[in-house]
Amino acid sequence: MANVLQNRISTTFSTTDEAALTAQHAAYSAVINPKMVTLTDEELKGIPSIDVDNYVFVNDTITTCDAEGVAMLPPNIAAQVPEMVKDYTFYKQLHAEIAWLQGVLDKLKRSQRLAAAESYTVANKIYEMYASLADAGVPGAQAKYDYLKARYKGNGGGRPQDAK
């Protein structure tokens, strides 16, 4: 008989792992949180976004702001050039950070989904086994089947194959 159950994930975080993750989260937050700002939805709607064309434009503008270019500008605007460069640099740094975090988040979500699917598949198999054992009159199996049966109440009741 073929193995109908796959077990691609077979791990948990140890207490040491959880402590290390907590420490890493705290260290990460200590670096990143002071640099973050909070915007309301209204504020977010009111500021321009930066698409590829705008990104290139800002980069080109920085290129034109050499010593000669800055000298042409009114002093109050020229004084903003270092801030523009700093904002642009921070944007690029955040872009790299977001890409890394999105990659990690994607792996976390996929691993979590697989772990949930595997545990649910095994739970359904156990439920089906209790049903078969109850049908065969094995003492105690009916109570376990009835206890787990509540999951399928409202969508046909009974075994998973009957709930479809």
Side-chain angles (χ1 to χ4, degrees):
M1 174 179 199
N3 184 4
V4 295
L5 303 175
Q6 289 187 349
N7 190 27
R8 294 178 60 195
I9 290 183
S10 181
T11 191
T12 61
F13 291 121
S14 68
T15 304
T16 303
D17 292 339
E18 288 179 326
L21 287 171
T22 299
Q24 290 298 320
H25 296 162
Y28 184 82
S29 293
V31 171
I32 202 107
N33 285 350
K35 296 178 181 347
M36 298 298 103
V37 296
T38 302
L39 296 175
T40 66
D41 290 342
E42 242 357 84
E43 289 172 318
L44 189 60
K45 289 177 190 173
I47 60 175
S49 64
I50 187 163
D51 60 12
V52 173
D53 292 337
N54 293 346
Y55 178 85
V56 170
F57 177 71
V58 172
N59 187 55
D60 290 346
T61 303
I62 289 170
T63 301
T64 67
C65 286
D66 55 13
E68 178 186 42
V70 170
M72 293 179 198
L73 298 172
N76 62 330
I77 300 299
Q80 295 302 310
V81 170
E83 283 302 316
M84 177 184 61
V85 171
K86 191 186 301 181
D87 289 344
Y88 180 73
T89 300
F90 192 49
Y91 171 84
K92 292 189 303 183
Q93 291 168 334
L94 288 173
H95 183 76
E97 193 65 21
I98 289 166
W100 178 77
L101 285 169
Q102 282 178 329
V104 171
L105 185 58
D106 183 57
K107 288 177 189 176
L108 287 168
K109 286 181 175 182
R110 288 170 187 261
S111 296
Q112 182 187 39
R113 184 167 176 180
L114 181 58
E118 287 182 2
S119 63
Y120 181 65
T121 299
V122 172
N124 277 325
K125 281 294 169 200
I126 291 169
Y127 174 70
E128 291 170 10
M129 290 287 103
Y130 285 148
S132 294
L133 293 168
D135 288 345
V138 173
Q142 186 66 50
K144 294 184 182 310
Y145 171 74
D146 290 342
Y147 177 76
L148 295 176
K149 185 177 174 180
R151 155 60 182 97
Y152 295 100
K153 190 174 187 174
N155 47 315
R159 301 174 193 169
Q161 65 269 26
D162 298 334
K164 293 178 184 170

